[in-house]
């Protein structure tokens, strides 16, 4: 049944480039940088002087677009990261905002750069991890921002997956992967001393390093040991005593707000149904109170100047763009800078409502439900499954959710067992449950939708990327009667070939992966039993697959092998390969193309509305 249908929102608005996004203040507060498209619709870094209206394009990326950058502590230098067509071998590029000179700071072919740290007391240097000597491991390098010199700082013994510098910008803490699938917290007295193990986390626990304190006497860490949830902990490096600073009984800690120069943690967030903050430093409580009054939604403090007088604050809602404000602490006044996509402001977007249901074994599962406007129950529905799987969906605007809802579908996002944020018991309930209890949670979600009268049982699709793509393949093979169709984006079809083809730098994490999924060496039959590729004969419903040719995580072969098997068995499959993409679609031309194909596919089998596919210049999609 339909009543007054909302206008059809153009895909260009939902999946095209933002008008402006990711603003960041320079450390001295002089400049505002942000990302925006150039005249060729390629995302670049732009610059303006605070308080002035003139803006100028800083970078000249030719094709892929820049999506991440940060200011260094050199007042006139920022750094952006870029890979080649989605291969994830990121380079760091330094940009002088005065001369516009761009320098590749990590000019090594086939090598991936990972930022370790920058420090206001050492403005001419950055610490970077590079897998330069061995593809499996990242050594720590010190790069001089003045002359570009790259110097080995700390060699990786082979198992370290994260480095941390102290307040003197010396690497003195690390996280090492261990053969049991857990990790060790390593520490050394100075750079000449041997590493010592401060703490071991087993495979069902996890932890990481946040920062050293200003006096180097305390190491701030997060960990789930001796508790169910990830807590913020201060570890005294003299006595080795631990003190919990921030925690929640049900939810893991999320973001951390740290003072820009003093290494003090001032607030910690927890992603519940929506984000909530615990303030640790009373001096910022009036600021948080003032910021919360500006507009509804969740706020995030994106950047601050070194004097801590100016903050850049973003506001996230579920049914509109992200709004960016400059907040002046002295007056507690906020000034709107811009929103990331003004065209969203007057469109018929829908709210995202938190929901929960009880799984068949009694576990409470949380998620988010978005309902279409202008229709009545029961709705055609898309079960939209997140990737990871050790990640989670959160509340807030989602272009793909709004797209589906606007086309007439109810959209349910489920934080199935194994999703992060809900404590280690919930995470570990998914161990060895790929294609089993994790999938049961999704089927229980479908049954909940039907029992509530929300969804038409004959018109439910399953869709997702990465693990969500795997879940789609499982849905059509293990429970072929449940879904009307499936859309798989960069999902693995065979857990054996997935593990055999991981990027080399994931090798230290393989023990963890095998603890959580299954052991490649000792139980290939078990992994085969959880791999959709071997159950293609059960498929009865149509499948659409989207894949990036350069995906380093889920290789092209993962999609090609199930497409070939389905064609051999005369099963209904459509396949779109994007030759210049990796693990997902970064270029707007490719997003617009794939979601146009997906929109017609869903309309065909669920009966929703669609905006016809028109010619899209510059996409790389090959429809097979």
């Amino acid at each position: 049944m339909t009543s007054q249908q909302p206008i059809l929102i153009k895909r260009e608005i939902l999946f095209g480039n933002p008008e402006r996004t990711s603003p960041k203040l320079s450390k001295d507060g002089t400049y505002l940088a942000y990302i925006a498209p150039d005249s060729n619709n390629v995302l670049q870094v732009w610059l303006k002087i605070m308080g002035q209206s003139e803006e100028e394009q800083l970078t000249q990326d030719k094709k892929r677009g820049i999506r991440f950058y940060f200011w260094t502590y050199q007042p006139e230098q920022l750094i952006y990261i870029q890979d080649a067509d989605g291969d994830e071998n990121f380079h760091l590029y330094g940009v002088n905002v005065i001369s516009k000179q761009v320098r590749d700071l990590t000019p090594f072919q086939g090598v991936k750069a990972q930022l370790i740290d920058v420090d206001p007391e050492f403005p001419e240097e950055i610490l970077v991890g590079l897998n330069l000597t061995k593809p499996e491991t990242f050594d720590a390098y010190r790069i001089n921002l003045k002359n570009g010199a790259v110097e080995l700082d700390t060699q990786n013994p082979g198992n370290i997956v994260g480095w941390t510098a102290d307040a003197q910008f010396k690497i003195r803490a690390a996280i090492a992967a261990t053969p049991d699938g857990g990790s060790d917290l390593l520490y050394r007295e100075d750079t000449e001393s041997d590493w010592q193990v401060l703490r071991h986390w087993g495979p069902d626990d996890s932890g990481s390093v946040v920062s050293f304190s200003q006096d180097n006497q305390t190491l701030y860490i997060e960990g789930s040991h001796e508790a169910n949830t990830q807590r913020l902990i201060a570890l005294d490096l003299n006595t080795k005593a631990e003190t919990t600073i921030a925690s929640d009984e049900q939810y893991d800690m999320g973001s951390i707000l740290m003072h820009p120069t003093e290494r003090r943690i001032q607030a910690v967030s927890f992603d519940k149904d929506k984000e909530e903050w615990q303030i640790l430093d009373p001096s910022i409580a009036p600021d948080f109170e003032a910021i919360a009054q500006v507009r509804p939604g969740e706020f995030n403090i994106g950047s601050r100047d070194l004097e801590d007088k100016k903050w850049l604050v973003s506001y996230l809602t579920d049914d509109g763009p992200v709004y960016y404000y400059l907040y002046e602490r002295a007056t507690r006044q906020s000034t709107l800078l811009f929103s990331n996509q003004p065209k969203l402001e007057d469109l018929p977007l829908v709210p995202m409502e938190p929901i929960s249901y009880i799984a068949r074994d009694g576990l409470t599962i949380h998620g988010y439900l978005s309902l279409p406007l202008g229709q009545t129950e029961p709705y055609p529905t898309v079960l939209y499954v997140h990737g990871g799987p050790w990640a989670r969906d959160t509340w807030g605007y989602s272009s793909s959710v709004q797209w589906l809802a606007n086309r007439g579908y109810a959209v349910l996002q489920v934080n199935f067992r194994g999703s992060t944020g809900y404590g280690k018991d919930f995470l570990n309930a998914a161990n060895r449950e790929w294609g089993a209890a994790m999938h049961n949670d999704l089927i229980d979600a479908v049954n909940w939708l039907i029992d509530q009268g929300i969804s038409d049982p004959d018109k439910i699709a399953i869709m997702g990327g990465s693990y969500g793509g795997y879940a789609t393949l499982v849905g059509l093979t293990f429970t072929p009667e449940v879904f009307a169709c499936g859309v798989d984006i960069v999902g693995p079809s065979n857990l054996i070939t997935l593990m055999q083809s991981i990027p080399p730098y994931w090798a230290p994490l393989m023990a963890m992966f095998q603890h959580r999924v299954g052991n490649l060496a000792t139980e290939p039959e078990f992994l085969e039993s959880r791999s959709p590729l071997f159950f293609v004969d059960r498929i009865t419903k149509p499948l659409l697959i989207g894949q990036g040719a350069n995906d380093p995580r889920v290789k092209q072969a993962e999609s090609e092998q199930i497409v070939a098997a389905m064609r051999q068995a005369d099963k209904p499959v459509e396949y779109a390969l994007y030759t210049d993409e990796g693990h997902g679609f970064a270029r707007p031309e490719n997003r617009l193309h794939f979601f146009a194909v997906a929109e017609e596919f869903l309309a065909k089998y669920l009966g929703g509305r669609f905006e016809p596919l028109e010619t899209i210049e510059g996409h790389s999609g090959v429809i097979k």
Side-chain angles (χ1 to χ4, degrees):
M1 290 284 295
T2 61
S3 51
Q4 186 60 42
Q5 292 269 45
I7 62 162
L8 204 67
I9 302 172
K10 290 187 175 299
R11 281 187 301 270
E12 177 67 48
I13 296 174
L14 295 166
F15 297 114
N17 278 329
E19 285 196 15
R20 296 181 197 166
T21 189
S22 307
K24 291 180 170 63
L25 280 173
S26 63
K27 302 301 183 182
D28 61 2
T30 301
Y31 298 107
L32 177 73
Y34 55 89
I35 289 173
D38 64 11
S39 57
N40 295 316
N41 200 32
V42 176
L43 291 177
Q44 309 289 357
V45 182
W46 292 67
L47 185 80
K48 64 183 289 185
I49 296 172
M50 289 299 291
Q52 298 185 15
S53 57
E54 295 83 13
E55 43 196 15
E56 56 182 337
Q57 182 183 328
L58 275 184
T59 58
Q60 304 292 334
D61 192 75
K62 295 293 179 244
K63 178 182 175 186
R64 191 159 178 78
I66 294 167
R67 290 170 291 156
F68 180 79
Y69 74 98
F70 60 93
W71 282 99
T72 71
Y73 290 98
Q74 289 280 316
E76 289 156 359
Q77 187 160 13
L78 54 77
I79 289 173
Y80 72 87
I81 71 168
Q82 186 61 285
D83 69 349
D85 288 343
D87 67 359
E88 297 188 26
N89 288 327
F90 291 101
H91 290 221
L92 299 183
Y93 294 88
V95 185
N96 184 299
V97 304
I98 303 298
S99 69
K100 312 292 185 296
Q101 183 186 359
V102 177
R103 169 191 271 158
D104 186 351
L105 297 168
T106 55
F108 310 109
Q109 191 70 29
V111 171
K112 181 184 178 95
Q114 298 178 332
L115 177 70
I116 297 170
D117 210 355
V118 290
D119 191 294
E121 299 299 320
F122 299 85
E124 295 186 2
E125 299 175 328
I126 60 170
L127 286 167
V128 176
L130 296 170
N131 57 342
L132 187 55
T133 54
K134 275 193 194 161
E136 296 80 11
T137 53
F138 292 84
D139 300 314
Y141 290 82
R142 198 170 287 267
I143 298 179
N144 186 300
L145 294 176
K146 291 284 195 187
N147 59 25
V150 180
E151 173 191 329
L152 178 66
D153 183 273
T154 308
Q155 192 163 356
N156 194 327
N159 61 342
I160 287 178
V161 293
W163 304 101
T164 303
D166 69 5
Q168 269 62 57
F169 214 43
K170 307 282 188 199
I171 287 184
R172 289 180 51 225
I175 297 291
T178 53
D180 65 351
S183 57
D184 283 339
L185 170 60
L186 304 183
Y187 165 75
R188 56 184 181 179
E189 295 286 344
D190 54 54
T191 54
E192 304 305 313
S193 302
D194 291 334
W195 292 103
Q196 53 180 292
V197 178
L198 288 184
R199 164 165 295 286
H200 175 66
W201 286 289
D204 289 338
D205 270 307
S206 58
S208 61
V209 183
V210 175
S211 172
F212 281 85
S213 61
Q214 191 72 5
D215 62 5
N216 283 334
Q217 301 303 301
T218 301
L219 191 62
Y220 297 111
I221 64 172
E222 48 184 284
S224 64
H225 53 280
E226 296 158 21
N228 180 42
T229 57
Q230 287 269 0
R231 302 152 298 150
L232 178 65
I233 296 165
L235 194 162
D236 185 312
L237 290 169
N238 298 309
T239 67
K240 307 300 186 281
E242 294 183 358
T243 306
T244 299
I245 301 174
S247 65
D248 183 273
E249 286 195 1
Q250 187 179 351
Y251 295 92
D252 297 324
M253 60 176 286
S255 304
I256 289 168
L257 185 71
M258 187 173 279
H259 189 278
T261 58
E262 297 174 7
R263 291 177 172 263
R264 276 188 297 112
I265 297 174
Q266 297 180 293
V268 177
S269 75
F270 295 85
D271 281 316
K272 303 185 179 184
D273 283 344
K274 296 180 182 177
E275 185 180 54
E276 296 180 16
W277 285 91
Q278 278 186 25
I279 295 174
L280 306 178
D281 177 357
S283 74
I284 65 165
D287 299 300
F288 269 54
E289 201 174 316
I291 287 167
Q293 305 303 316
V294 172
R295 65 179 311 125
E298 297 178 356
F299 64 82
N300 181 57
I301 294 145
S303 63
R304 301 153 79 173
D305 66 350
L306 286 177
E307 292 185 339
D308 205 23
K309 292 179 177 176
K310 298 174 185 173
W311 294 4
L312 266 186
V313 183
S314 59
Y315 291 84
L316 175 76
T317 185
D318 53 350
D319 57 357
V322 179
Y323 291 90
Y324 299 101
Y325 283 76
L326 177 68
Y327 172 73
E328 309 257 7
R329 293 193 73 205
T331 60
R332 299 202 180 119
Q333 293 298 305
S334 295
T335 307
L336 177 65
L337 297 172
F338 48 78
S339 76
N340 68 333
Q341 189 61 288
K343 288 175 184 166
L344 291 174
E345 288 173 16
D346 299 315
L347 293 174
L349 303 177
V350 303
M352 179 184 283
E353 298 293 345
I355 61 98
S356 66
Y357 61 92
I358 306 299
R360 64 189 68 180
D361 63 353
L363 206 58
T364 298
I365 309 293
H366 294 268
Y368 300 93
L369 179 65
S370 304
L371 298 177
L373 300 172
Q375 287 181 236
T376 53
E377 297 177 340
Y379 306 108
T381 300
V382 177
L383 181 64
Y384 191 45
V385 187
H386 70 69
W390 308 298
R392 63 162 286 182
D393 281 317
T394 54
W395 180 85
Y397 174 81
S398 161
S399 55
S400 42
V401 168
Q402 294 293 343
W403 161 66
L404 291 167
N406 182 257
R407 280 13 178 199
Y409 309 118
V411 187
L412 181 62
Q413 300 165 275
V414 176
N415 285 325
F416 48 85
R417 72 192 64 206
S419 300
T420 52
Y422 297 94
K424 69 185 181 189
D425 292 346
F426 189 81
L427 184 73
N428 295 328
N431 288 351
R432 301 175 61 79
E433 295 292 344
W434 285 45
M438 295 166 79
H439 187 61
N440 290 344
D441 290 346
L442 301 179
I443 300 303
D444 293 346
V446 169
N447 292 331
W448 177 83
L449 285 165
I450 295 167
D451 291 344
Q452 298 287 318
I454 295 167
S455 298
D456 179 343
D458 296 324
K459 291 187 175 180
I460 300 176
I462 183 169
M463 174 177 178
S466 196
Y467 176 86
Y470 165 82
T472 297
L473 299 177
V474 169
L476 295 198
T477 49
F478 289 29
T479 50
E481 72 291 345
V482 173
F483 300 102
C485 61
V487 180
D488 152 34
I489 304 167
V490 298
S493 61
N494 180 349
L495 298 182
I496 295 171
T497 51
L498 173 71
M499 289 188 181
Q500 288 170 339
S501 62
I502 58 163
Y505 43 81
W506 281 13
L509 299 170
M510 200 59 187
M512 179 276 289
F513 199 84
Q514 298 200 130
H515 173 77
R516 294 202 178 278
V517 183
N519 193 297
L520 183 60
T522 61
E523 48 184 1
E525 303 84 0
F526 172 74
L527 293 171
E528 189 173 305
S529 76
R530 302 295 175 83
S531 298
L533 178 66
F534 300 101
F535 302 94
V536 161
D537 60 308
R538 297 183 186 174
I539 294 177
T540 60
K541 305 294 174 51
L543 174 64
L544 169 64
I545 296 178
Q547 176 70 42
N550 306 308
D551 191 337
R553 308 177 186 210
V554 177
K555 299 288 196 298
Q556 182 179 333
E558 289 299 316
S559 290
E560 306 256 323
Q561 60 193 354
I562 196 163
V563 169
M566 287 182 70
R567 297 246 162 93
Q568 183 78 34
D570 202 25
K571 301 289 184 178
V573 61
E574 295 179 39
Y575 178 43
L577 177 71
Y578 294 84
T579 57
D580 56 4
E581 292 287 7
H583 197 60
F585 309 131
R587 296 182 59 236
E589 298 86 348
N590 294 331
R591 284 198 302 276
L592 288 165
H593 182 263
F594 180 77
F595 286 111
V597 172
E599 189 170 312
E600 288 205 18
F601 177 85
L602 290 170
K604 187 174 178 182
Y605 299 108
L606 296 186
R609 306 186 298 165
F610 69 94
E611 177 191 356
L613 171 58
E614 296 173 352
T615 303
I616 297 167
E617 297 293 335
H619 77 83
S620 69
V622 180
I623 303 285
K624 298 185 177 181

